[in-house]
């Protein structure tokens, strides 16, 4: 699994429009086989920072989603909405490998501890 972590520099005066844009992408990512973990908008932080996290089974499936998104009418509408409202000043994308399940045993074994 690969998780795409996107940070956005947004126009603080366009947060309402950015939220409309964000809500549109959650089902669009799902349409192409991804799992969206949500958008995180400014609250008690910089007023121009937003974050999105979504996962795909592999980098190949993410790349397939990206290619298809440039042909999908709803995706194209979302891209155009963002452009028309000038909501995103810039964005940075990183790919991460998630750790989603906890396990104390590797820590205990690494420290030479026995289970109590």
């Amino acid at each position: 699994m690969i998780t795409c972590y996107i940070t956005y520099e947004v126009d603080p005066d366009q947060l309402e429009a950015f939220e409309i844009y964000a809500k549109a992408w959650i089902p669009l990512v799902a349409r192409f086989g991804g799992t969206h973990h949500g958008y995180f908008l400014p609250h008690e932080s910089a007023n121009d920072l937003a974050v999105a996290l979504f996962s795909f089974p592999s980098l190949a499936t993410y790349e397939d989603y990206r290619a298809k998104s440039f042909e999908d009418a709803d995706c194209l509408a979302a891209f155009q909405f963002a452009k028309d409202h000038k909501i995103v000043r810039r964005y940075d994308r990183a790919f991460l490998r998630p750790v989603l399940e906890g396990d104390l045993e590797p820590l205990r074994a690494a420290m030479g501890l026995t289970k109590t």
Side-chain angles (χ1 to χ4, degrees):
M1 178 182 287
I2 193 81
T3 297
C4 185
Y5 169 77
I6 304 177
T7 57
Y8 296 91
E9 180 184 325
V10 298
D11 180 343
D13 295 327
Q14 292 293 335
L15 285 179
E16 191 173 308
F18 184 82
E19 188 166 349
I20 292 169
Y21 172 79
K23 287 180 177 181
W25 278 105
I26 293 170
L28 291 173
V29 165
R31 177 183 294 174
F32 294 100
T35 301
H36 213 296
H37 307 292
Y39 279 83
F40 303 86
L41 306 181
H43 184 64
E44 291 295 324
S45 62
N47 69 348
D48 64 349
L49 172 68
V51 173
L53 290 145
F54 53 91
S55 297
F56 279 88
S58 68
L59 187 56
T61 55
Y62 168 80
E63 290 171 348
D64 186 54
Y65 145 76
R66 287 283 292 165
K68 289 178 179 176
S69 73
F70 293 113
E71 300 170 357
D72 180 88
D74 290 329
C75 293
L76 293 173
F79 291 138
Q80 190 63 48
F81 181 83
K83 183 178 179 181
D84 290 350
H85 290 84
K86 298 177 174 65
I87 57 177
V88 177
R89 293 180 177 154
R90 68 182 293 260
Y91 66 92
D92 294 300
R93 187 174 26 224
F95 296 94
L96 308 168
R97 182 180 52 87
V99 176
L100 300 172
E101 295 181 16
D103 186 353
L104 289 170
E105 290 310 310
L107 173 66
R108 291 179 180 136
M111 297 183 70
L113 301 174
T114 59
K115 192 174 179 180
T116 58

